[in-house]
Amino acid sequence: MADHHAGAYGIMAAGTAAQPAHNLPHEFAGRGRHMAAMKPRTGDGPMEVTKEGRSYVMRVPLEGGGRLVVELKADEAKELGAKLLEVFA
């Protein structure tokens, strides 16, 4: 009895050789061939802190490119501010 879904599920009839249609490792076979978009890694933007929901997000440009992104709770942001003031006092 022939299964009309056999081709859709990759089931091969006895005696046929299965040839992969891609060169991906087995664990990536069903995930498609598209790559994720790459964002430019520029550290040229300013240092900034934004309030997002209940937390604060600090973005600091790095010398070699990219940005350090840190999410802080309100009490952590206050503690960081106090520590920075201690250093510069």
Side-chain angles (χ1 to χ4, degrees), residues 24 28-34:
L24 297 173
F28 297 111
R31 297 186 187 175
R33 297 184 191 180
H34 301 288

Side-chain angles (χ1 to χ4, degrees), residues 21-39:
H22 51 74
N23 294 326
L24 297 173
H26 177 68
E27 58 270 14
F28 297 111
R31 297 186 187 175
R33 297 184 191 180
H34 301 288
M35 292 186 67
M38 296 293 290
K39 294 182 180 179

Side-chain angles (χ1 to χ4, degrees), residues 53-87:
R54 294 183 174 180
S55 60
Y56 296 87
V57 178
M58 178 176 63
R59 293 174 180 87
V60 181
L62 301 174
E63 279 189 33
R67 301 180 101 184
L68 172 67
V69 179
V70 180
E71 183 174 355
L72 303 161
K73 296 177 191 171
D75 58 334
E76 294 170 329
K78 288 177 186 175
E79 184 179 350
L80 175 61
K83 296 289 182 186
L84 290 171
L85 290 174
E86 286 176 17
V87 172

